[in-house]
Amino acid sequence: MPQADLASSLDAADYEPIDHLNALFSHPSTLASVSKTSQALRAHQDELDQEIEALAAEQSLSDTESVKRIQLAKDDLAQLFRKIEGVQQRAMQTEQSITDMTADIKRLDNTKKNLTLSMTALKRLQMLTTAYEQLQGLSASRQYRECASLLQAVIQLMTHFKTYRSIDQIATLSRNVSDVQRELLEQVCEDFEITFARDQVQTRRGMLAEACLVMDALGDNARSRLITWYCNTQLREYRQVFRSEEAGSLDNISRRYSWFKKLLKTYDDQHAAIFPPHWRVDEMLANSFCEGTREDFRSILAKSTRRTDGQTLDANLLLSCLQETLDFEHGLERKFTNSSRVSLDTITSSDEKLTAPFTHAISEAFEPHLTVWVEAQDKQLSTMLPKYKSQPPKPADEEFNSQMVMPSSTELFSFYRSSFAQCAKLSTGPRLVELSKVFSKYLDQYAQQVLLFYISEKPGGSTPSRMPSLEDTVLVLNTADYCYNTCTQLEDRIKGRIDEQWKDFIDFSSQADAFMGIAGASIRALVRRVEVDLEPSWREMRNIAWVKLQNVSDQSTFVAEMVGRIKSRSTDILEHVHKTQYSRAYCDNLVELFASTYASNIIQCKPISETGAEQMLLDSYLLTTELTSLMTLRDPTAQPPTSYAKRVSTTMSRITPLLKVLQVRPSPPESLVQAYLIHIADKSDINFRRVLDLKGIRKADQSSLMELFSAHKSSPKHENLPAQSPSLTPLLTQIGGPGATISTISNATTNNLPSLPGRFDASILGSALMTAARDGVDRFGTPTLGSGPQSRTVSPPPPGAPGQDGVGNVNQNLRNIGKFFKRDLGGFGGRFGGAKPGDEQSR
């Protein structure tokens, strides 16, 4: 290997001797070069030793030179420090020399400064003494214009001598100036008193105007004293006249304001030229009048509330006086402020706060007594509700349309808006809270006593009782929707006007929920009309001998007529319901009612053969298809909403498991048992026996089936089945029991299926509505077994009007129904009660 390659290999950082030797002697033939390789290694070693010795010697010489350079640097640094100290000493000597040379110049500068201050002070003292002497002479001659300008100069000059008051002469001069100021103040006040007492204002107006300049120079205290005297003087007659019992009564409130308006006119004509405009004497006079009048009214109103003769404060008089007071305050605001007062007769400016100086300046005294006015509104509303209940929902001369609302609702809310606007002018605090509680009270009564009354069936001379007309029901639905929206708007507007600390007390959510409950009841009343139409079809279904049915046809005989009745009545109803969410609510309620009634009638058709069960199942599929098309009755080309179609399918399929079990023949018995465990899927011996009863299997033949059922349900395959089916147990419970009725079966199914409406009573829907509201039950009747309406029973209505507890229960349950109905409508799209464009205009 060449020597260069050998050195390169030996210098490698990761040198491996074994690998190197293997590379050098990779073949036996290379062993001949061992001696040459050894010599090359020794030569390379000698070269490395020589290089190391040379480098060591070089480094030794380098260290010696470094030590020498460091020593030289230290010597240079010491020399530099010595030079710096020398420069510093010379600088200090120079500074001392300059100070010695300029000491005399500084003394001369200080002397000049002190001399200048002394001359200035002496000159000012001379000016002050001269001005003081002149001021004394001008004061004696009542030359107030010259006095004002000279007085300002004297006062300004005196400020320069505050630090010299320890000097006796300066202190004496200061006291003399103060005495002149005091004398001028008393002299000007005396001149004003004499001039006004002698009624010489016209002849001495110029002198008084100049005297006001002196009062301006004397400062704020002097000016306030003169203004206060003037206001008291002008209002002295007012206080004497109107603080008497007769002239100061509320009946004479207009005389008070007329008197002051006359006083303001006198001021503008005769006295305004006396006082400088920036004093705003007329505004101060108005403030004094308002303060005194406010205290007078507080005293008068307090005496009225403490009267022992039984007479109370007249609300109309109180409101009339308050309105006059507000008008007077408004006039003062227009006169004394640049910006006009915020409009109080509209609600559009509700977010603006009244900041004018005369806002509630006098009317504040009326606020604690506005409860009388609120009580008057309560009494007036109490007379309106019976009138609304007695009048027809729609005026006889008006043509019905699907967006119409009852005139009484618009009249009621118009009264609310007017009362609210009046109260907002009077108070935006506790009285507005009291008024909102009155609003809430009569909204509850309107929902219960008017709207609920209109959709209640009225007992008649025959059975069934008279149902509300379709137009009346739709009117109540539209009105409930309108009231719901307006309740929310009213709450927002009151919160926009009331003071911040009272906003949490304004809440109309319970009233809105009550109106939503009325909307739900109206939908149920519409569904009731379909229920009445279907009664003959249900009767026909129950009269079929299902146990003897031999063949399955396309549909049962009653189905075509039933579908026709549903579509005919629903088409008429949906044409009158103009909002999509209510159309959907109607269809949903109808489907729920139909499904529960269909299940109830299936139970009443026992015994049912396998062929009969198959026919019933086929009929249910057909009815499901027809019910799905309800949402397209207005537009046959449209497709029903997917959510609605899914809801119809889910609702109608609840009875399917039972019908599938009824289709299975009892022989072989294992098939029937397995069908029950698959479809109904519970371990209840009682339920299984009831299914056997529904199939018409004799008691003697049921024992072997029950033993087989017990054996199968105990197998590991069925160990996870529930003890009872949650969906069918309430329905099966009624099979075969004594006194079982369509009512109890239907209600059992309905109570187990949330949002299923119960059957309407055919005789007294109104009583059922009230009972449902009182009991908190989401149903409208409890029909009993029988084909005719005579056999149905309901809880009779109370003989008289419900008491306070009854009214509270009705209102609370209406709210609960409304919350449920709002939740049920939540999936229809859009907010409940949301108005379509143009709805408000049509109303």
Side-chain angles (χ1 to χ4, degrees), residues 591-605:
V591 170
E592 297 284 2
L593 173 67
F594 185 88
S596 63
T597 309
Y598 187 54
S600 302
N601 282 277
I602 288 175
I603 300 302
Q604 289 302 305
C605 290

Side-chain angles (χ1 to χ4, degrees), residues 58 82-83 137 243 333 417 453 555 784-785 836:
E58 183 181 354
R82 287 193 296 272
K83 291 181 179 180
R243 283 185 177 173
E333 289 168 11
R417 290 188 184 96
F453 170 78
Q555 62 184 35
T784 57
L785 178 62
K836 293 182 179 179

Side-chain angles (χ1 to χ4, degrees), residues 764-810:
I764 311 177
L765 176 61
S767 300
L769 282 168
M770 297 301 293
T771 302
R774 292 190 186 95
D775 298 340
V777 180
D778 192 17
R779 58 188 176 85
F780 289 96
T782 53
T784 57
L785 178 62
S787 60
Q790 292 84 351
S791 59
R792 296 178 184 164
T793 61
V794 293
S795 301
Q804 292 298 323
D805 293 339
V807 172
N809 291 335
V810 171

Side-chain angles (χ1 to χ4, degrees), residues 197-240:
R198 296 177 179 177
D199 195 15
Q200 298 176 348
V201 175
Q202 296 296 330
T203 58
R204 306 184 66 181
R205 184 184 301 173
M207 184 268 290
L208 296 179
E210 294 177 354
C212 288
L213 299 178
V214 174
M215 300 301 276
D216 237 351
L218 289 173
D220 294 338
N221 291 334
R223 182 169 60 248
S224 298
R225 174 179 170 180
L226 181 59
I227 294 175
T228 302
W229 171 85
Y230 175 78
C231 292
N232 291 335
T233 302
Q234 297 301 306
L235 296 176
R236 185 182 299 119
E237 179 185 355
Y238 168 77
R239 292 164 181 164
Q240 292 174 353

Side-chain angles (χ1 to χ4, degrees), residues 635-651:
D635 184 8
T637 61
Q639 293 294 325
T642 304
S643 59
Y644 172 71
K646 183 178 179 181
R647 182 165 185 169
V648 174
S649 177
T650 302
T651 304

Side-chain angles (χ1 to χ4, degrees), residues 27 135 513 782 811:
H27 193 269
L135 184 61
D513 288 337
T782 53
N811 289 335

Side-chain angles (χ1 to χ4, degrees), residues 362-404:
I362 302 175
S363 57
E364 180 184 352
F366 290 87
E367 184 171 354
H369 305 275
L370 288 179
T371 302
V372 176
W373 178 79
V374 175
E375 291 172 354
Q377 304 304 299
D378 191 325
K379 291 179 181 179
Q380 187 170 355
L381 284 168
S382 66
T383 62
M384 294 167 65
L385 267 295
K387 180 185 69 172
Y388 293 158
K389 184 176 180 180
S390 62
Q391 68 186 19
K394 177 180 69 68
D397 57 346
E398 262 189 68
E399 184 178 353
F400 174 82
N401 67 77
S402 61
Q403 299 184 13
M404 178 183 292

